[in-house]
Amino acid sequence: MIATTRRVLSCAVLAAFALPGIVGTAHGATLDDVRAADELKCGINTGLAGFANTDDAGNWVGFDVDYCKALAAAVLGDASKIQYVSLTGKNRFPALQAGEIEVLARNTTWTFSRDVDLGLTFVGVNYYDGQGFLGPKSLGVSSATELDGASVCIQTGTTTELNLADFFRTHNMAYEPVPIETNSEARAAYEADRCDVYTSDASGLAATKATFDNPDDHMVLPEIISKEPLGPVVRQGDDQWADITRWVLNALISAEELGVTQANVEALAQDGGSDNPEVQRLLGSEGSMGAMLGLDADWAARAIMAVGNYSEIFARHLGPDTRLGLERGLNALYSAGGILYSPPFR
C-alpha cells in the first residue's frame, strides 16, 4: 500500500511540473531537417586566425571549421555539405535560437546563464581558454595590474565585458572601455591607437598578434583573469541532436587517445583492423552506437577521416608550427598533463 501511494504521489508531482511548452520537447527534428536540406548550417566566427578564417582561395579553414566538417561528415557523409554562417558575439545566440543555424561552433564560453537562461545546450569543451590582455611593448607595462586608467578594446556580447569589469574592480583600478563587435574591428582599433590594450580569450589574442606586420612589437600580458571553456552549442529541446554533436566532438578526442588518425582510420575500421574493443566500438565494427544516435555504424570513422583526430586538428591550425604557435597546455590529454578527455565509448 505504501509503495502504491508513493507511485501515485510521484506521478502527481511529475504532472505538476509538466508545464506547457516543456512536455514533448526532448526529441526535436534537427537531424531530419539537416538531412532534408542535405546541408549543415554551422555558425562560425566572422574571422579569427586559426579558428575560423578564409584562405587565399576564399575557403573557410580553422579549428572550429574542422568541427563543422567532422559533424557534416558524420551526419551527411560529406564534409563539404556545410553552409558557414559568420556571426558576431552579439548575434550568435539569436541566430541559434531562431533556427538560422543548427550548431554554433564559434569559440563560445560555457557559462551558467547561457546554459540555463538562454535555452541553449553546450555539448562539451573543445578548447580550455582564459581571458588575457594584448598590448604594445612601448606601453611600458609588464602586468595587467599596471593598467590603471587604460583604454581597453573589448568585443560586445561576450563574457569578456563582465570579466574585465570584475578584474578592474577587484584591483581598484579605472579603465575606459572601447566597444567593438568583431575581431577585425578590434585589430583596426588597436592598431589605430584607439585603445591601449585589447582584451579577449588568450587564444584570440595570439591569433590577432600573429596577423600584425611586426608581431614582436606586441606582447600578451602574463595574467589570465578568467576561465573560458569554449565549445559547440545547440538549442535545447532536441536530445538526439545534442547527443550527435556531443559525441562527434568526443570521437575526435577519443581518437587521439586511442591512436586513431586520419591516415589509419580506414584500415582500423575494417573487421579485424584493431584488437582494441573501444576502437572497434568507436569505428563501428562492433556494437550499435551509430544506431543509438540515429546514424549508421561509420559515422565516427567518417568524421575522423575528414579532419583527423583532435591532435591533428590542433596541430594544423593552432600548434607550435603555425603562426599562432600555441602549446597544448590544458588542452593536452589528461594522460599528457592536460585536462582533456572524452567519456568512454562503451
Side-chain angles (χ1 to χ4, degrees):
M1 185 67 179
I2 293 174
T4 302
T5 302
R6 285 176 177 168
R7 283 197 296 271
V8 171
L9 286 173
S10 297
C11 291
V13 169
L14 290 173
F17 282 94
L19 300 177
I22 300 297
V23 176
T25 61
H27 298 285
T30 310
L31 177 60
D32 294 338
D33 292 343
V34 172
R35 284 173 167 166
D38 200 30
E39 181 180 68
L40 172 71
K41 294 190 289 294
C42 195
I44 56 172
N45 206 295
T46 55
L48 182 63
F51 286 88
N53 61 289
T54 53
D55 61 17
D56 293 339
N59 300 309
W60 283 102
V61 295
F63 182 82
D64 290 333
V65 171
D66 274 2
Y67 173 77
C68 300
K69 291 178 178 179
L71 182 58
V75 172
L76 297 173
D78 188 336
S80 69
K81 291 184 175 181
I82 304 172
Q83 177 187 344
Y84 295 106
V85 181
S86 298
L87 298 168
T88 67
K90 183 181 292 186
N91 66 17
R92 56 185 160 172
F93 298 133
L96 180 59
Q97 291 163 331
E100 297 171 15
I101 55 174
E102 282 102 18
V103 62
L104 177 64
R106 184 203 177 280
N107 53 303
T108 297
T109 302
W110 188 351
T111 72
F112 178 97
S113 58
R114 289 173 173 180
D115 195 359
V116 176
D117 194 44
L118 295 184
L120 306 176
T121 295
F122 286 77
V123 300
V125 177
N126 66 356
Y127 193 93
Y128 291 94
D129 211 341
Q131 184 175 337
F133 295 89
L134 173 69
K137 291 180 179 178
S138 60
L139 191 62
V141 300
S142 58
S143 167
T145 59
E146 302 172 44
L147 293 176
D148 190 17
S151 56
V152 185
C153 281
I154 184 167
Q155 282 187 270
T156 56
T158 67
T159 58
T160 55
E161 291 179 286
L162 179 58
N163 295 337
L164 180 66
D166 286 349
F167 177 77
F168 274 80
R169 179 181 177 184
T170 298
H171 288 83
N172 196 27
M173 299 189 301
Y175 70 99
E176 178 188 349
V178 180
I180 42 87
E181 285 200 20
T182 67
N183 188 66
S184 59
E185 288 180 21
R187 174 187 168 179
Y190 175 82
E191 290 190 298
D193 295 325
R194 285 182 52 207
C195 55
D196 297 314
V197 294
Y198 173 36
T199 187
S200 186
D201 296 341
S203 62
L205 299 179
T208 299
K209 181 174 178 285
T211 64
F212 293 155
D213 292 334
N214 299 297
D216 291 340
D217 292 343
H218 307 265
M219 65 179 294
V220 177
L221 298 177
E223 288 82 6
I224 297 296
I225 68 170
S226 70
K227 294 182 294 184
E228 305 295 329
L230 312 179
V233 194
V234 296
R235 289 181 297 280
Q236 284 181 2
D238 190 338
D239 288 350
Q240 180 190 35
W241 184 243
D243 285 341
I244 290 170
T245 54
R246 177 180 299 112
W247 285 96
V248 166
L249 172 59
N250 289 337
L252 302 177
I253 296 169
S254 285
E256 177 184 0
E257 181 179 355
L258 296 168
V260 181
T261 69
Q262 194 171 28
N264 68 20
V265 60
E266 188 171 6
L268 291 175
Q270 303 300 317
D271 288 338
S274 173
D275 295 329
N276 186 321
E278 190 159 12
V279 171
Q280 294 172 0
R281 292 190 292 270
L282 171 67
L283 301 182
S285 58
E286 179 181 300
S288 57
M289 291 188 169
M292 295 179 194
L293 292 171
L295 304 177
D296 62 14
D298 300 326
W299 64 276
R302 285 195 303 271
I304 299 162
M305 200 174 301
V307 297
N309 64 34
Y310 183 93
S311 175
E312 293 175 288
I313 298 167
F314 191 101
R316 182 162 56 244
H317 299 296
L318 309 177
D321 294 331
T322 68
R323 287 191 302 167
L324 273 66
L326 297 175
E327 300 292 341
R328 288 286 293 270
L330 292 177
N331 297 293
L333 291 177
Y334 73 100
S335 55
I339 60 175
L340 187 74
Y341 71 88
S342 161
F345 277 76
R346 64 171 181 262

